[in-house]
Amino acid sequence: MNGMSLNVIPCETNLKTDGKDKVGPCPVCKGPGSFVKNVTVRNMISDHLLESVGNFDYYLCMDDDCKISYYNNDFKIKFEKNDVKVPIWFKKDAKPKYACYCSKVTEEQIINAVISEKAANMKEVLEITGAMTNPNCQINNPLGKCCHHTIQEIIDKSLIK
Ligand SMILES: [Zn+2]
């Protein structure tokens, strides 16, 4: 394997930037949030809380220590991470830490593919782990975005070790 281009096509959620990323402070920690569409939040919030989600979009608190997940300051509504059906991977104590939510592949599996199975790049990691098969990140990933970048970051970190 050399540096040839990979046959990995990130799903389309990755390609859209609407300029709304990383704005709007979290009502609790005052840290930055990341814009998340209503359709994503609807799929993430526990069923018994669905009625309070409304039709508007949200931000996701990006602070690993903060217990808040989605919030909308205009409507004065916030949810905690425990109100979400899946663990949010970057929050403290997330278990398991999913790297790819669509295929349920964990950070640990990606690290193992690199360290133990000597995967040298994204393509090999995806072959070993099965990550990013059937991507539907808009409804499966808490950020509503493709996990491509997250996986690449884990690979990069693992290769340095
Ligand atoms: Zn917060």
Side-chain angles (χ1 to χ4, degrees):
M1 281 288 162
N2 52 25
M4 65 190 201
S5 65
L6 308 172
N7 293 322
V8 175
I9 300 165
C11 68
E12 60 176 13
T13 51
N14 205 29
L15 306 174
K16 293 179 196 146
T17 47
D18 47 21
K20 291 174 180 168
D21 278 358
K22 303 226 162 129
V23 291
C26 167
V28 172
C29 72
K30 310 296 178 201
S34 191
F35 180 77
V36 182
K37 283 192 175 154
N38 182 269
V39 60
T40 305
V41 178
R42 283 202 160 267
N43 278 284
M44 287 292 141
I45 291 294
S46 298
D47 291 338
H48 71 282
L49 293 167
L50 261 188
E51 272 182 40
S52 28
V53 171
N55 294 315
F56 37 84
D57 297 324
Y58 282 81
Y59 289 90
L60 177 60
C61 170
M62 301 304 287
D63 189 284
D64 56 349
D65 262 336
C66 182
K67 65 178 198 280
I68 296 300
S69 56
Y70 301 105
Y71 60 90
N72 182 310
N73 291 332
D74 293 338
F75 292 88
K76 299 208 182 332
I77 182 161
K78 57 183 188 285
F79 294 102
E80 300 194 352
K81 62 184 182 186
N82 293 336
D83 298 332
V84 178
K85 287 178 194 162
V86 293
I88 300 172
W89 81 96
F90 58 83
K91 293 284 190 188
K92 205 168 76 180
D93 303 329
K95 200 177 173 185
K97 262 182 185 300
Y98 286 122
C100 170
Y101 283 78
C102 297
S103 308
K104 296 273 186 283
V105 174
T106 62
E107 181 181 69
E108 198 181 0
Q109 285 174 277
I110 307 277
I111 294 170
N112 274 339
V114 175
I115 307 268
S116 308
E117 307 200 44
K118 309 290 179 214
N121 54 44
M122 176 71 87
K123 185 164 180 281
E124 292 177 13
V125 165
L126 298 188
E127 279 168 7
I128 292 168
T129 62
M132 287 178 71
T133 45
N134 288 325
N136 196 2
C137 304
Q138 188 170 59
I139 61 166
N140 289 327
N141 185 293
L143 265 179
K145 289 189 184 139
C146 186
C147 54
H148 184 259
H149 286 299
T150 308
I151 295 176
Q152 187 64 58
E153 277 174 27
I154 299 168
I155 293 172
D156 292 346
K157 267 190 269 173
S158 306
L159 284 174
I160 297 168
K161 280 178 191 166

